[in-house]
Amino acid sequence: MVGVPAVIRRRLTSMHMFGAVLVAAMLFQQPLVELVNASPALQTAATVFTGVFVQATPFLVLGVLISGAIAAFVSPRVLRAVLPKRESVAVGVAGLAGAALPGCECGAVPVARRLMDQGAPSAVAVTFLLSAPAINPVVLVSTAVAFPGEPRMVVARLVGSLATAWVMGLLWSRFGRTEWITARLSNHDSNPDGSRWTVFTESARHDLLQAGSYLVLGAAAAAALHVVVPPWIYEHLAGQMLLAILVMALLALVLALCSEADAFVAASISMLPLLPRLVFLVVGPAVDVKLIAMQAGSFGRGFAARFAPLTFVVAIVCACAAGYLVLGGIR
C-alpha cells in the first residue's frame, strides 16, 4: 500500500509472539509465583516442567545450530554423490547417513524432498527422512543424559529407529509409486541474494522457535501427566504391556515433540516400564501430526495417506523388537 511505511506492513512473526509472552511473564511474575505456591499440585507440575525444559534446552539449541549450519553450508548433492547405484544398498547407506546430519524431523522433510528432486531414488529419500532425526548424535546423547544408568536405552533407540528407516525404505522401494508424490518442491527457502550467514541465522531461528514451541508443549504434557493422571492408571498400564505400548505410541503421534528433546519427556514418565517409553522415542521422530502435515505439503496427500499409517505400524514393531533384543524383555 502506497504511503504506508514498510515497518508497519511487516507481519507479526513468531519472534514477536515469543517476546510478548516473555514480557507478560515478567510483568505478572509475582501473581504467578503466588498462584503456584498456593497449590502443591501446581508446585509439582512446575518442578516437572522446569526439569524437563532445562534439561532439554541445551540439546535443542545445539541441534538447531547444527541444522542451520547444514542448511547454509551442506548441499544434498553431497549425499547424492556418494550413494551407491544399487537401490537396496543405497537405502542402507542413506539410513546410516542420517547419523551424520543432526537436526530435527522438521528439517529432514525438505532435505529429503530436495534429494528426491535432485534425482535420488524416492526409497533413499524416505529412508533418510526417517533416520536423520532419530539416530543423529545430538538425539543419542540427549537420550543418554535423559536415561542415566540405562545405556541400553540409547542402543535400543538406535536399533529401533534405524530398523524403522531401513524397513520403510525397502518397502517403499518394492511397493512405492512415483505417481503418489504429487506436490512440487517449494523454493520459498531459496534466497539467491542472501549470504550463507543469513541462511544460517534464519534457519536456526526458525527451527529454534518451532522446535521450542513443541518442547514447551511436551514439558507441559509431562507435568500434566504427573499431576492430572491418577497413579492407578499408570499401575494399570504397567501391568498391561500391549495397552501401554499403544498408549505411548499414540501419545508420541499427538504430542509431536522435537526428537532432540523427547527423551526427557519419556524419562519423566518413570511410572511405566522402559519398553513403552522406547516405543514413544521410536515412533515420535518417524510419524506425528506435524510430520504428516509437512509430508502432505512436501510430497502430496496421496504420499502422506499411505506413508504415515504404515510408518506408524512399522515403528511400533521395530521398537518392540529392539526392546526385546536390547533391553532383554518387557522392562
Side-chain angles (χ1 to χ4, degrees), residues 204-232:
R205 182 188 65 84
H206 174 270
D207 289 350
L208 179 62
L209 291 175
Q210 185 177 53
S213 64
Y214 287 107
L215 173 58
V216 171
L217 173 64
L225 289 173
H226 276 76
V227 175
V228 177
V229 181
W232 66 264

Side-chain angles (χ1 to χ4, degrees), residues 113-114 117 183-190 297-298:
R113 181 57 209 254
R114 208 172 293 123
D117 279 17
R184 299 289 182 182
L185 179 66
S186 173
N187 292 321
H188 70 277
D189 58 341
S190 61
S298 296

Side-chain angles (χ1 to χ4, degrees), residues 44-305:
T44 301
T47 301
V48 174
F49 177 89
T50 304
V52 172
F53 189 85
V54 170
Q55 280 186 305
T57 296
F59 296 98
L60 183 63
V61 172
L62 176 61
V64 299
L65 289 176
I66 297 175
S67 179
I70 290 170
F73 303 106
V74 178
S75 169
R77 292 184 180 89
V78 176
L79 180 60
R80 178 173 165 246
V82 301
L83 288 174
K85 299 299 182 183
R86 188 176 176 183
E87 189 167 298
S88 59
V89 180
V91 165
V93 172
L96 295 173
L101 295 176
C104 72
E105 54 270 29
C106 302
V109 173
V111 173
R113 181 57 209 254
R114 208 172 293 123
L115 281 171
M116 195 179 298
D117 279 17
Q118 289 179 356
S122 56
V124 171
V126 299
T127 302
F128 176 83
L129 170 69
L130 295 174
S131 69
I135 68 169
N136 69 71
V138 177
V139 170
L140 297 181
V141 171
S142 68
T143 305
V145 173
F147 289 89
E150 290 290 350
R152 285 184 292 178
M153 275 296 285
V154 181
V155 178
R157 182 174 194 177
L158 171 63
V159 172
S161 297
L162 188 56
T164 300
W166 277 341
V167 170
M168 285 302 301
L170 293 174
L171 287 175
W172 190 264
S173 175
R174 177 67 177 84
F175 302 106
R177 299 290 182 268
T178 54
E179 56 266 25
W180 294 343
I181 302 174
T182 56
R184 299 289 182 182
L185 179 66
S186 173
N187 292 321
H188 70 277
D189 58 341
S190 61
N191 183 13
D193 298 326
S195 66
R196 290 187 176 183
W197 175 250
T198 301
V199 174
F200 168 75
T201 54
E202 286 301 309
S203 298
R205 182 188 65 84
H206 174 270
D207 289 350
L208 179 62
L209 291 175
Q210 185 177 53
S213 64
Y214 287 107
L215 173 58
V216 171
L217 173 64
L225 289 173
H226 276 76
V227 175
V228 177
V229 181
W232 66 264
I233 292 183
Y234 293 110
E235 295 174 2
H236 180 70
L237 287 177
Q240 301 288 330
M241 188 58 62
L242 291 179
L243 181 60
I245 288 171
L246 180 60
V247 168
M248 292 301 288
L250 291 173
L251 194 63
L253 178 72
V254 174
L255 286 185
L257 300 177
C258 175
S259 60
E260 291 147 0
D262 58 359
F264 297 96
V265 176
S268 72
I269 312 176
S270 57
M271 301 75 70
L272 294 182
L274 290 179
L275 182 57
R277 290 187 279 169
L278 174 64
V279 171
F280 178 87
L281 296 178
V282 173
V283 170
V287 55
D288 59 40
V289 289
K290 76 174 184 299
L291 275 177
I292 294 173
M294 294 181 68
Q295 290 169 5
S298 296
F299 298 96
R301 294 181 180 178
F303 172 89

